[in-house]
Structure formats: structure tokens, C-alpha cells
């Protein structure tokens, strides 16, 4: 692979990692405002990721996670993981 393509690929991978970290922070903030206890945010993030499969049952039709889908998963967590919330 020519050097400029390698550099472009490395830069794209770095940007993807940055965006992934920002999304994780945003999920943590959403869970905080949904009422997750301060020390339980990491557990709630893990539960959220597992909850995606539980709520949508590996549904291929949910290709994009929009506002409504995020709220649906958080509401699911409020009923199934009450110990995480205030």
C-alpha cells in the first residue's frame, strides 16, 4: 500500500476511535440524566449494550439507532436493572 494510503488509513482509524470514545461518553451522560447512580455508569453502559440485543432481539430492521431506540433501551433498563437507578 502506498505511504499516503497507509497514512490516510491510520488517520481514519484514529478518528473512528475518537468518535467511539465520544459516543461512549454521550451514552454515559444519557444514562446519568436517565437516573443511573453515579458509581453505576460503567455497569449501566454494559447493561445497555447487552440490552440492545434483548430489546431488538437481533432485529436486522433496526439498522440505525435513533433517539427513539435509545430511549426504548434505557426504559427497558429501568425495568430490568432497577438497582442501577436512583
Amino acid at each position: 500500500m502506498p505511504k499516503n494510503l497507509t497514512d490516510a488509513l491510520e488517520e481514519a482509524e484514529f478518528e473512528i476511535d475518537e468518535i467511539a470514545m465520544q459516543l461512549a461518553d454521550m451514552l454515559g451522560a444519557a444514562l446519568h440524566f436517565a437516573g443511573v447512580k453515579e458509581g453505576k455508569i460503567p455497569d449501566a453502559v454494559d447493561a445497555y449494550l447487552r440490552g440492545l440485543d434483548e430489546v431488538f432481539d437481533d432485529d436486522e430492521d433496526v439498522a440505525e439507532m435513533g433517539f427513539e431506540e435509545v430511549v426504548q433501551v434505557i426504559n427497558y433498563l429501568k425495568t430490568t436493572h432497577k438497582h442501577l437507578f436512583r
Side-chain angles (χ1 to χ4, degrees):
M1 194 179 304
K3 180 136 177 77
N4 60 351
L5 289 178
T6 302
D7 291 344
L9 179 59
E10 287 176 4
E11 184 177 332
E13 289 174 348
F14 176 79
E15 290 177 10
I16 290 169
D17 289 342
E18 287 287 315
I19 291 170
M21 289 188 311
Q22 289 175 359
L23 285 172
D25 289 342
M26 291 173 66
L27 176 58
L31 291 167
H32 166 79
F33 285 108
V36 171
K37 298 173 188 173
E38 204 61 40
K40 296 292 185 179
I41 297 289
D43 294 337
V45 168
D46 290 340
Y48 178 92
L49 295 174
R50 286 189 311 275
L52 290 172
D53 290 335
E54 294 167 10
V55 170
F56 298 110
D57 195 28
D58 296 323
D59 188 1
E60 295 297 324
D61 293 336
V62 184
E64 293 185 25
M65 287 294 295
F67 171 84
E68 293 169 357
E69 290 80 13
V70 172
V71 170
Q72 187 176 352
V73 175
I74 291 173
N75 284 333
Y76 170 77
L77 293 181
K78 285 183 172 184
T79 60
T80 60
H81 294 76
K82 293 178 184 181
H83 65 283
L84 298 174
F85 294 85
R86 290 182 229 119

